[in-house]
Amino acid sequence: MVVHDDDDWAEDRRPKTPWADSVIYELHVRGFTKRHPGIPEELRGTYAGLAHPAAIDHLKRLGVTAVELLPVHQFAHEDHLLRRGLHNYWGYNSIGYFAPHAAYSASGTAGQQVGEFKRMVRALHDAGIEVILDVVYNHTAEASELGPMLSLRGIDNRGYYRLQSDARRYADYTGCGNTLHVVQPNVLRLITDSLRYWVTEMGVDGFRFDLAAALARSMHDVDMLSPFLAVIAQDPVLRRVKLIAEPWDVGNGGYQVGAFPPLWTEWNDRYRDAVRDFWRGALPDVRDLGYRLTGSSDLYAWGGRRPYASVNFITAHDGFTLRDLVSYEQKHNEANGEGNRDGTSDNRAWNCGAEGESDDAGVNALRRRQLRNLLTTLLLSTGVPMLVAGDEMGRTQGGNNNAYCQDNEVSWVDWTLLEQPQWRGLTELTARVLALRHTHPVLRRRAFFSGRAQAPDGLRDLAWFTSQGAEMTEEDWYAPASTVGLYLSGRDIPGRDARGEPVTDDSFLAVLHAGGRPAGFRLPGPPWADAYELVLDTSREDQSAAPGTVHRGDTGLTVPARSLLLLRVRE
């Protein structure tokens, strides 16, 4: 269908948020809006619903700078789901790379979805929020050689798909039955034409590429000089938008975290695993945690990339929600109709003493504290944080860690949670920590920490402390620890501000304690600080006001069990 549209976007103002200042919020157009009481019922589940002030107000109150939309290309439902009375909810089954998914349109499906999508983008831009699309160019809905014939297979099967040597079966690097042959010029042109269309005609600001390693394969191996990456790097439109790689696929050699070229940022699953393990008390040593909290220089510095190459996340659409991460240790995917065989079993989760929902007040209080720990850690870490819609208000999927086929209350955001004080408080904490992040450039560094002295007094831009107040030694890094202190100096931050002036900020000390009992921690004295003011304490259920307590340097304080303290240096 050809849609006539003479919109030139002349009045649109793209936010163009720098990577270092970005905070990503992953959401599903339908699931985010379907149950929102402030959105008119006829607009719920649609692009128009996401453009509604009630939806945008929540995003602005949180302080996120970009929404990352789960796939909105027209997609198809798999036969095996339809036979079970289910539907593909996530949308990773694309069939139309130039068409907004029609089911998300409130205004009609005869081309009206195009205009509605554009109005949504413009409304988000007006609110200062960028739009990033999760795109699926690695495979199509035609699935395996036993799947349906919908388009590319019937046009030129050998030209569009990677085939095995006998040419009867597909080479499947995606786990979805087929893999597009991106080395072929016509396939590469199809993808890049689609990308340019969504930028120039639909107004989007960037893309997250599902299973990006599959796109970077040349003949067989992943190749960072592949035609796809080379074309993106030289394209005058695409090289200027936000590019996020899911840096792996399911084929041999497909795990490529840290390997993509400088234009790209990456989902950093090593951050996810280290933070989960630390807060559940299963991290074998603190060395990995140190790298992850400070931008993962071990992964990205060698290639000339910056800390914001790391998109930090603890949860994503694929896996447990944050609340389920502290409520379940085993997946509970029975509703998917696959005998609970689908979804990962490597969840690195801790249920705080009871599997699933509990009536035990102590268990529930501990779970809420763990949620505060995980969210605060994510939002204070160097890199680009990514939140998942609903995690800030305790959304649960009942332990389902693969809800790709649950287009129902299992997956939709439950906005009634905000009526409950404990979950409203979690949302307020999220907004408060994000406001702190936006205010302090030391939390949004554009260059890696050096760890070297910045002045004759020996003060460094980054230092790590044991619970005794001593700087960590090489031996400490390779030992397990439940308590660690992280000092961030704001004295001399690399770079200049908008007026060309040096960037300076407050200095902070973060104390992370994953132990089950309170612990003592000795605050570093001069030259680190004469005194510290307590800014955040995740042990507190009520986060409505800053604690404000002042502690002298070189003295001890008690860190509550399983908590994170953030202290500001007082001169």
Side-chain angles (χ1 to χ4, degrees):
M1 180 179 295
V2 177
V3 179
H4 174 70
D5 191 347
D6 56 5
D7 189 345
D8 61 3
W9 293 91
E11 302 300 320
D12 181 63
R13 294 292 179 267
R14 294 177 185 258
K16 297 183 179 179
T17 307
W19 261 125
D21 300 336
S22 295
V23 177
I24 297 172
Y25 190 80
E26 187 195 47
L27 67 82
H28 189 287
V29 169
R30 178 171 169 82
F32 184 70
T33 61
K34 186 63 178 174
R35 303 177 70 183
H36 198 303
I39 298 174
E41 188 170 355
E42 66 273 13
L43 301 183
R44 295 176 190 172
T46 69
Y47 307 118
L50 183 53
H52 192 274
I56 291 177
D57 284 350
H58 181 76
L59 301 173
K60 292 178 66 176
R61 283 197 301 271
L62 282 181
V64 301
T65 68
V67 291
E68 183 177 302
L69 307 183
L70 266 68
V72 295
H73 290 167
Q74 184 69 38
F75 62 87
H77 302 287
E78 295 91 330
D79 285 343
H80 69 89
L81 291 178
L82 296 176
R83 287 195 297 269
R84 296 202 298 270
L86 299 171
H87 297 85
N88 188 311
Y89 170 68
W90 287 349
Y92 292 90
N93 210 36
S94 299
I95 200 61
Y97 290 135
F98 296 82
H101 190 60
Y104 301 158
S105 174
S107 54
T109 59
Q112 295 92 338
Q113 60 266 46
V114 174
E116 185 175 326
F117 185 93
K118 291 183 178 183
R119 290 190 293 274
M120 176 198 72
V121 172
R122 184 172 282 106
L124 289 163
H125 283 179
D126 288 345
I129 298 170
E130 293 185 302
V131 178
I132 298 171
L133 301 188
D134 193 338
V135 289
V136 189
Y137 295 112
N138 56 78
H139 74 280
T140 75
E142 292 188 302
S144 72
E145 60 274 6
L146 302 177
M149 183 181 294
L150 301 173
S151 62
L152 304 182
R153 174 178 294 160
I155 296 170
D156 184 0
N157 188 57
R158 185 182 295 271
Y160 280 102
Y161 291 110
R162 290 180 178 270
L163 304 180
Q164 294 185 20
S165 56
D166 63 3
R168 297 176 57 207
R169 293 177 175 83
Y170 291 119
D172 183 9
Y173 296 109
T174 68
C176 300
N178 65 61
T179 307
L180 280 177
H181 202 346
V182 182
V183 176
Q184 295 282 10
N186 58 310
V187 180
L188 187 59
R189 185 172 64 184
L190 171 68
I191 294 172
T192 53
D193 282 354
S194 170
L195 291 169
R196 281 189 291 267
Y197 169 78
W198 288 94
V199 174
T200 61
E201 298 296 325
M202 304 297 276
V204 306
D205 305 284
F207 305 94
R208 179 265 188 189
F209 291 82
D210 181 63
L211 300 180
L215 299 172
R217 290 184 180 270
S218 290
M219 294 308 295
H220 299 288
D221 296 334
V222 179
D223 178 7
M224 291 306 158
L225 299 176
S226 67
F228 172 74
L229 295 177
V231 167
I232 296 291
Q234 68 181 0
D235 189 283
V237 172
L238 301 180
R239 69 188 314 273
R240 287 179 168 81
V241 302
K242 286 183 164 65
L243 302 170
I244 306 171
E246 183 183 33
W248 52 76
D249 63 21
V250 302
N252 290 334
Y255 186 76
Q256 295 289 324
V257 172
F260 274 71
L263 278 179
W264 291 75
T265 64
E266 299 175 10
W267 272 24
N268 187 351
D269 65 330
R270 290 185 61 179
Y271 177 93
R272 174 199 64 197
D273 293 348
V275 173
R276 287 187 181 191
D277 281 348
F278 176 77
W279 283 114
R280 72 188 179 107
L283 194 66
D285 59 58
V286 294
R287 182 173 60 103
D288 198 38
L289 181 71
Y291 278 124
R292 303 309 145 232
L293 299 184
T294 57
S296 296
S297 59
D298 60 328
L299 298 177
Y300 303 113
W302 68 271
R305 299 161 80 184
R306 301 295 184 92
Y308 47 77
S310 177
V311 175
N312 299 329
F313 67 102
I314 296 171
T315 59
H317 66 274
D318 188 0
F320 281 148
T321 68
L322 202 65
R323 179 174 167 183
D324 287 354
L325 186 67
V326 301
S327 304
Y328 298 88
E329 292 184 6
Q330 308 298 325
K331 62 185 179 181
H332 296 268
N333 300 353
E334 291 80 6
N336 297 351
E338 300 177 38
N340 205 33
R341 294 183 300 274
D342 60 306
T344 182
S345 297
D346 181 19
N347 295 295
R348 299 172 188 254
W350 178 48
N351 62 20
C352 298
E355 185 73 0
E357 294 300 308
S358 174
D359 295 327
D360 188 307
V363 168
N364 289 330
L366 176 56
R367 288 174 175 176
R368 293 193 297 272
R369 182 179 295 199
Q370 287 290 81
L371 289 178
R372 294 193 293 272
N373 290 332
L374 291 164
L375 276 172
T376 303
T377 302
L378 173 65
L379 301 181
L380 294 180
S381 297
T382 303
V384 179
M386 185 186 79
L387 292 164
V388 177
D391 274 354
E392 76 281 6
M393 63 181 84
R395 184 175 75 89
T396 177
Q397 293 180 168
N400 192 323
N401 75 351
N402 189 37
Y404 78 102
C405 57
Q406 298 298 323
D407 187 5
N408 50 47
E409 287 82 358
V410 170
S411 298
W412 301 339
V413 173
D414 180 6
W415 293 91
T416 65
L417 292 167
L418 291 179
E419 300 170 5
Q420 304 174 37
Q422 69 270 30
W423 302 123
R424 186 170 61 249
L426 187 66
T427 305
E428 291 167 353
L429 172 66
T430 304
R432 184 172 156 216
V433 181
L434 275 178
L436 192 71
R437 181 184 182 91
H438 290 314
T439 302
H440 292 284
V442 72
L443 303 175
R444 299 179 280 106
R445 286 179 59 102
R446 287 161 167 76
F448 288 108
F449 294 96
S450 69
R452 295 187 294 271
Q454 302 292 308
D457 61 10
L459 186 69
R460 293 189 295 282
D461 60 355
L462 172 69
W464 296 88
F465 293 90
T466 67
S467 58
Q468 289 76 38
E471 289 193 62
M472 291 178 63
T473 65
E474 185 78 8
E475 183 178 351
D476 292 327
W477 279 114
Y478 288 90
S482 60
T483 309
V484 63
L486 165 60
Y487 184 96
L488 306 174
S489 173
R491 178 188 288 184
D492 186 14
I493 301 172
R496 301 277 173 164
D497 64 17
R499 302 180 63 181
E501 300 293 332
V503 178
T504 59
D505 192 12
D506 294 329
S507 298
F508 290 91
L509 175 69
V511 181
L512 291 78
H513 175 52
R517 296 181 178 179
F521 187 92
R522 191 163 191 86
L523 297 170
W528 308 102
D530 294 319
Y532 299 85
E533 177 189 9
L534 188 60
V535 177
L536 289 171
D537 178 357
T538 61
S539 71
R540 295 162 56 104
E541 188 84 45
D542 180 9
Q543 295 284 331
S544 60
T549 308
V550 176
H551 302 268
R552 289 190 301 109
D554 206 24
T555 60
L557 83 166
T558 300
V559 185
R562 295 193 175 92
S563 64
L564 185 155
L565 305 182
L566 182 69
L567 303 103
R568 181 188 290 114
V569 169
R570 292 280 295 266
E571 300 296 339

